[in-house]
Amino acid sequence: MSPLGTRQAREREWLLVKTDFLVQAARNPTLAHVLSAHRGRLRQVVAERLRLQAERNPLPAALPDAESAAWAAVGVYDGVTVQLLLDGDTSGARARLARLLTALLADRAGAGTSADR
């Protein structure tokens, strides 16, 4: 197996483990609490990065603050993860994720090139 194939297999396995954990957490309140705390920390990290980015390029009006944008960005990632598990197209999933996040977070009226939007 090529190094790329090995990497893709590991990424897929990780996504399956993550999905299994999500399903178990949905059935188990203790796990749900642990997962909720983890995802809260993840959203905090994403929000901080978005706050820094917003200093140069404002967030869209529909996402008035970094916390709202972080919730949306994590949700988009979750959706693309499910699509990747179903269709197995890693490069396509990455491209879709980039396009979706750009569409979600781009300031339509602000600075940036058309390639950024």
Side-chain angles (χ1 to χ4, degrees):
M1 189 178 283
S2 73
L4 179 60
T6 302
R7 179 179 174 206
Q8 286 179 343
R10 284 192 311 257
E11 288 174 353
R12 180 171 175 76
E13 187 60 30
W14 169 246
L15 292 176
L16 287 168
V17 167
K18 177 185 157 232
T19 301
D20 286 343
F21 189 77
L22 288 168
V23 170
Q24 290 303 315
R27 294 183 175 124
N28 180 317
T30 302
L31 285 178
H33 180 74
V34 170
L35 183 58
S36 179
H38 167 74
R39 289 177 65 84
R41 289 188 301 275
L42 172 64
R43 285 189 304 273
Q44 287 174 345
V45 169
V46 171
E48 183 55 35
R49 296 293 303 260
L50 291 171
R51 267 193 285 290
L52 293 172
Q53 179 66 26
E55 292 173 4
R56 288 177 272 143
N57 294 315
L59 292 169
L63 298 169
D65 55 50
E67 288 73 21
S68 298
W71 274 89
V74 171
V76 166
Y77 174 80
D78 288 343
V80 171
T81 296
V82 170
Q83 291 174 352
L84 172 58
L85 285 173
L86 295 176
D87 67 24
D89 180 8
T90 303
S91 60
R94 287 188 175 136
R96 283 188 299 277
L97 179 61
R99 283 193 308 269
L100 286 166
L101 289 175
T102 298
L104 178 69
L105 300 173
D107 177 24
R108 308 290 187 276
T113 65
S114 60
D116 293 333
R117 293 187 197 141

